[in-house]
Amino acid sequence: MSIGLADAQEVCFVPLPGPILENSLLEGQIQVKAEDSEINQDTFAQFKGKVEIDSSQVKIKADEALLNRQTQTLNATGNVSFQDKNITVSSQSVQLNRISNELLIEESFYQLNSVQGHGKAEKISLGATTGINLIESSFTSCPVDDEVWRIQASNIEITPDQSRGVVKHARFYIKDVPVLYLPYFSFPINDQKQSGILYPIPASNSSTGISIEQPVFWNIAPNYDLTFSPRLMTERGLQLKTEFRYLTEQHSGQANIEYLPDDRDLDTDTERYFYRFFHSGQIGKNWRINADINGLSDDNYIVDLGSDYFNRADTHLYKTLGLSYFSQNLDVTAQFRDFEVLGNYPDSYRALPEIRLNYLTPIGLGAEFQINSELAYFENGELDNPTATRFHIAPTVRYPFKNQWSEFLAEATVLHTRYIQENIQDSALAENVSRTLGQVKVYGSLAFERPASWFGTQATQTFEPKVQYLYTSFEDQNNIGLYDTTRLFNDSAGLFRGQEFTGLDRISDNNQITVGMTSRFVDNNNQERFKLSLGQIFYLKDNQVVDASKVDDRSALAAELDWQIGSKWYVHTQAQVSTITDKVERSSLSLEYQLAENKIMQINHRYVRDLSSEKINQVGITASWPLAKNWQWVGRWYHDLKLNRTVESYTGVQYESCCWTVSFVAQRYLSNRFDDNGAQSTDEFESGFNVYFTTRNLLREGLFGYRRPYLLN
């Protein structure tokens, strides 16, 4: 029987008898669409004109197709397009054998579907068990119109269930220039982790000399891996860095060990090391465990050898181990908290342990009852320093209310703390101290809005006033040591915090009113274009707690401004201005111009009138600009206006192709090295040069120090 159609498209369902093969290319029935067809029920089916052949695995388009029912073969010719889950091929002819489940394509252009890659081939064979075999073919992962590199090979094999492809007799081209011949090599074909040698990391600076680090990655298991990184430094010797990572259903973590057996730059034979262990995990439904433990051989290890986890300005390393429980109303946290202090600074107190319990429950009529409590033991590395056991409990009754246009909070708290202090000879501290304070806070805010015009466009302007009254009773606390307490600095948001200190060793008495306001302009796309916040505290009575007393009857006026000027300019600034002297106490400014994603200039300024008897006055510039196609320049410069010197300079050029990046970076910065007495140098500088081979954009990932100045809500 034969059927012919001259002007209409025909759809046929052709049964294919025979055994059903797993992963068959044309399994079961296939659907064929064509402008014209001729079918013989016993031997063949021929289709012509815009032929489309669909099965559960494969889609083929061609000018003509012949299906032989006896040999179970399909031949498609003329502008053939073949597509399955692995590959898309354009060719003039395709031969498919259903019995052997094999495909043969000649003179073709192919595109891999599961990974980024394409090329040309004289012959492609594809089988469900043999995978993909390309004869006299090319391969690249670059875009079709921008082939920076390609591999030309006699044979490329991609086998199912393998994470690497095999290439034989390969010639490596950059553009059209051959640069390398390899008789055999393999390459990754998916995102699975694979053992192998990673990119080397060359660098040069005045501290280490010329150095080269060669990471070697070992994929122990899908959820375990280890990286060895020998690092040879001309000034200091051979260092070994290791990184072990693990991941389970409930836990994840990482362990690092770095070891330099003999630092040649030091006068004595000195071994130097660094270790780090980080863990986060869940135990059961409500329990979590975490650890962050760090240590090193000497104060200058990070300064001399660098670190992937800490920077030169850090003064201490954390050592914490904690266990937490969370439920709807109750959370409990127990942790050991220690520090390794760098340099000649007083040792910090460590909490061994520190247990916190917080409980919150509604009590009716919209009110809530909350208990915050803590039990901690503090000791210091200095044997002559006091130690203390501290118990604190703070029951609170509050009434919160909130809707779309207003917020109200009224709360009353009793703050009771008890200390047992030891090793307090020749001090003003008391062995047993019991302190009970009362605190009342009332807070309210409103939100008004109105239609407005923002530089000629329609917008919505808001006005959001807020006020808070805070009262805290007084009790003399000079007989209590300072274990985890430091003074806090206020900004426009911190004015409503109601706390002068961190920790619990000092709780200042308060009788004050805090007033603030925020105004925003929001455009019709619900994008915030402008925000201004102002706030100030008015003291009704001076604080009696030592270190908390005030010179004036009001705080500095705190202001914060975010402004998106058009589509290219952004401004963020914060300032605290004394309303008594009209002097700026603290300020920061970020002004950014962004013409495009890679065309950016940002100016930053920071000012502090008095920080530990020092004035801070620094300006910085960060910029990024394209030099040519694929080439980018990035620079950073920071200058101390008070000392009239540059504290850091950084410049680099980056070449970014479709699939890899190389960056050349030069920098000069303060060394921050500690001398034999533990004092930190403020005059020594170091300079260096680095080369990075990566697959990432250095500007976007922040390696050049770029950050957006603010984030509008």
Side-chain angles (χ1 to χ4, degrees):
M1 179 182 68
S2 64
I3 302 175
L5 291 178
D7 300 317
Q9 185 182 70
E10 179 168 323
V11 179
C12 300
F13 292 90
V14 183
L16 293 178
I20 302 300
L21 301 178
E22 185 178 359
N23 297 323
S24 174
L25 292 172
L26 289 178
E27 181 179 344
Q29 288 189 338
I30 62 172
Q31 176 179 283
V32 182
K33 297 180 181 179
E35 292 180 340
D36 184 67
S37 65
E38 182 179 349
I39 300 176
N40 187 299
Q41 192 67 28
D42 299 324
T43 58
F44 71 90
Q46 187 171 12
F47 305 92
K48 297 180 180 180
K50 297 183 180 180
V51 182
E52 295 184 11
I53 304 172
D54 288 312
S55 74
S56 60
Q57 305 289 335
V58 170
K59 183 173 184 177
I60 300 174
K61 295 181 180 180
D63 293 339
E64 296 185 11
L66 177 64
L67 179 64
N68 191 315
R69 298 175 57 80
Q70 294 179 340
T71 61
Q72 294 290 289
T73 59
L74 170 69
N75 291 332
T77 58
N79 298 316
V80 181
S81 171
F82 173 91
Q83 182 178 355
D84 70 355
K85 65 179 181 179
N86 297 311
I87 194 170
T88 299
V89 182
S90 300
S91 178
Q92 289 300 313
S93 66
V94 168
Q95 301 176 28
L96 190 150
N97 189 312
R98 183 181 180 273
I99 296 177
S100 62
N101 205 18
E102 293 179 346
L103 171 75
L104 180 62
I105 307 174
E106 297 182 351
E107 300 297 337
S108 62
F109 173 83
Y110 70 90
Q111 173 75 53
L112 302 180
N113 296 331
S114 57
V115 294
Q116 183 176 335
H118 64 86
K120 298 178 181 179
E122 290 186 5
K123 184 182 294 185
I124 298 177
S125 64
L126 186 149
T129 58
T130 59
I132 303 174
N133 193 349
L134 298 92
I135 308 299
E136 293 300 334
S137 61
S138 65
F139 173 83
T140 180
S141 59
C142 294
V144 176
D145 56 350
D146 187 19
E147 292 188 2
V148 177
W149 66 269
R150 77 176 189 275
I151 298 170
Q152 202 83 26
S154 299
N155 186 274
I156 301 177
E157 298 176 359
I158 301 175
T159 307
D161 302 325
Q162 296 294 322
S163 59
R164 302 186 72 86
V166 173
V167 180
K168 298 177 181 178
H169 298 292
R171 290 86 69 194
F172 185 75
Y173 289 81
I174 294 181
K175 294 297 185 178
D176 292 323
V177 179
V179 295
L180 182 66
Y181 167 77
L182 292 174
Y184 176 93
F185 79 94
S186 63
F187 61 93
I189 58 176
N190 55 32
D191 293 332
Q192 295 179 7
K193 297 186 302 178
Q194 301 170 38
S195 301
I197 298 175
L198 306 181
Y199 285 117
I201 307 173
S204 174
N205 60 54
S206 53
S207 175
T208 62
I210 299 173
S211 71
I212 180 136
E213 182 177 339
Q214 179 57 71
V216 180
F217 181 76
W218 180 17
N219 183 31
I220 304 173
N223 58 331
Y224 298 90
D225 61 53
L226 179 64
T227 302
F228 299 93
S229 299
R231 180 190 183 192
L232 182 61
M233 299 169 285
T234 58
E235 294 294 327
R236 299 189 178 272
L238 181 62
Q239 178 191 28
L240 178 62
K241 302 168 67 175
T242 63
E243 177 184 274
F244 174 72
R245 301 186 303 174
Y246 59 90
L247 176 66
T248 67
E249 186 176 349
Q250 302 292 336
H251 300 267
S252 64
Q254 178 176 312
N256 297 82
I257 298 177
E258 301 177 5
Y259 181 67
L260 178 62
D262 179 17
D263 191 334
R264 297 202 301 254
D265 194 55
L266 301 181
D267 295 334
T268 58
D269 295 338
T270 304
E271 61 177 7
R272 309 183 76 179
Y273 60 84
F274 166 81
Y275 63 85
R276 177 177 183 265
F277 174 68
F278 178 82
H279 177 86
S280 178
Q282 186 169 345
I283 305 173
K285 182 179 179 181
N286 302 98
W287 291 88
R288 293 194 61 83
I289 187 172
N290 63 83
D292 187 2
I293 302 172
N294 304 270
L296 40 64
S297 57
D298 56 272
D299 293 342
N300 284 316
Y301 183 93
I302 297 173
V303 174
D304 291 342
L305 302 175
S307 174
D308 296 328
Y309 310 99
F310 298 92
N311 62 60
R312 298 168 180 272
D314 287 331
T315 58
H316 61 273
L317 277 63
Y318 286 103
K319 294 183 178 181
T320 59
L321 176 64
L323 179 67
S324 304
Y325 171 84
F326 298 94
S327 67
Q328 183 175 358
N329 301 103
L330 175 70
D331 64 83
V332 182
T333 301
Q335 66 175 348
F336 294 88
R337 182 161 50 90
D338 194 4
F339 306 90
E340 179 151 345
V341 179
L342 305 180
N344 187 20
Y345 296 99
D347 279 346
S348 299
Y349 273 90
R350 47 181 175 254
L352 305 172
E354 180 183 68
I355 303 171
R356 295 182 179 180
L357 183 149
N358 301 312
Y359 177 76
L360 175 66
T361 184
I363 56 177
L365 300 177
E368 299 174 343
F369 175 71
Q370 179 176 347
I371 291 180
N372 296 326
S373 62
E374 175 190 299
L375 175 64
Y377 173 73
F378 296 99
E379 69 172 24
N380 192 283
E382 299 292 337
L383 299 179
D384 296 335
N385 285 346
T387 63
T389 300
R390 182 179 73 195
F391 172 73
H392 176 79
I393 186 169
T396 300
V397 176
R398 67 161 56 94
Y399 178 77
F401 173 81
K402 189 174 184 179
N403 59 21
Q404 293 181 337
W405 55 272
S406 66
E407 183 178 358
F408 175 79
L409 173 66
E411 66 177 31
T413 305
V414 176
L415 304 160
H416 177 74
T417 316
R418 183 170 180 82
Y419 288 83
I420 300 176
Q421 302 178 111
E422 299 177 342
N423 200 24
I424 57 174
Q425 301 86 351
D426 302 324
S427 72
L429 306 184
E431 181 177 357
N432 292 283
V433 179
S434 181
R435 179 191 64 192
T436 302
L437 304 172
Q439 187 175 85
V440 175
K441 180 167 68 175
V442 180
Y443 170 85
S445 67
L446 297 171
F448 304 95
E449 63 179 46
R450 68 182 182 92
S453 176
W454 180 251
F455 290 95
T457 62
Q458 292 184 345
T460 299
Q461 183 185 10
T462 70
F463 176 67
E464 305 161 35
K466 51 188 175 181
V467 62
Q468 174 180 282
Y469 173 74
L470 176 68
Y471 174 83
T472 308
S473 62
F474 167 75
E475 190 167 323
D476 187 8
Q477 302 166 44
N478 292 329
N479 56 356
I480 299 174
L482 298 177
Y483 305 107
D484 65 348
T485 295
T486 57
R487 187 72 179 267
L488 289 170
F489 292 100
N490 283 330
D491 53 18
S492 60
L495 295 175
F496 292 84
R497 183 172 48 223
Q499 300 175 3
E500 298 279 349
F501 305 93
T502 64
L504 298 168
D505 303 320
R506 294 293 183 271
I507 300 177
S508 63
D509 55 310
N510 301 293
N511 189 5
Q512 62 191 40
I513 296 175
T514 306
V515 178
M517 62 77 63
T518 298
S519 182
R520 315 170 198 262
F521 281 87
V522 182
D523 64 21
N524 290 335
N525 295 321
N526 203 31
Q527 295 294 314
E528 190 175 88
R529 313 295 295 186
F530 178 90
K531 183 178 76 171
L532 173 65
S533 297
L534 299 171
Q536 191 169 23
I537 302 175
F538 297 89
Y539 304 109
L540 304 180
K541 185 180 180 182
D542 189 16
N543 300 92
Q544 301 179 64
V545 172
V546 177
D547 299 327
S549 61
K550 309 298 187 301
V551 177
D552 305 321
D553 61 355
R554 69 195 71 177
S555 72
L557 177 65
E560 184 173 355
L561 171 69
D562 292 329
W563 189 0
Q564 182 172 337
I565 308 172
S567 60
K568 299 178 179 63
W569 288 92
Y570 306 87
V571 176
H572 171 75
T573 182
Q574 295 186 69
Q576 296 176 36
V577 182
S578 171
T579 56
I580 305 297
T581 64
D582 294 329
K583 293 182 178 180
V584 176
E585 303 295 334
R586 302 167 65 90
S587 68
S588 65
L589 169 68
S590 291
L591 173 63
E592 179 179 303
Y593 173 75
Q594 182 170 353
L595 183 62
E597 183 181 8
N598 60 348
K599 294 181 178 180
I600 301 168
M601 185 176 69
Q602 185 184 106
I603 300 174
N604 299 283
H605 178 260
R606 182 177 62 152
Y607 175 82
V608 181
R609 180 172 296 278
D610 185 4
L611 180 62
S612 300
S613 301
E614 292 288 339
K615 178 186 286 188
I616 306 296
N617 190 6
Q618 296 178 346
V619 63
I621 300 175
T622 299
S624 170
W625 211 262
L627 301 175
K629 183 179 180 182
N630 302 115
W631 286 95
Q632 186 84 8
W633 170 81
V634 178
R636 184 174 70 229
W637 175 78
Y638 284 98
H639 187 76
D640 192 312
L641 298 175
K642 178 178 179 292
L643 301 176
N644 192 26
R645 68 177 184 181
T646 297
V647 294
E648 181 184 10
S649 58
Y650 185 112
T651 185
V653 292
Q654 172 179 287
Y655 175 81
E656 182 177 10
S657 74
C658 55
C659 44
W660 57 276
T661 295
V662 59
S663 304
F664 305 92
V665 176
Q667 55 187 327
R668 185 176 184 269
Y669 45 86
L670 281 170
S671 68
N672 293 329
R673 203 173 193 281
F674 297 98
D675 61 22
D676 294 337
N677 297 320
Q680 200 164 26
S681 171
T682 59
D683 297 318
E684 294 183 11
F685 285 82
E686 288 188 12
S687 58
F689 181 79
N690 297 300
V691 180
Y692 299 100
F693 294 95
T694 67
T695 56
R696 18 178 219 190
N697 184 294
L698 298 185
L699 174 65
R700 285 195 296 267
E701 298 203 3
L703 293 182
F704 290 101
Y706 167 74
R707 294 291 186 274
R708 286 298 300 274
Y710 67 96
L711 179 63
L712 289 172
N713 295 326

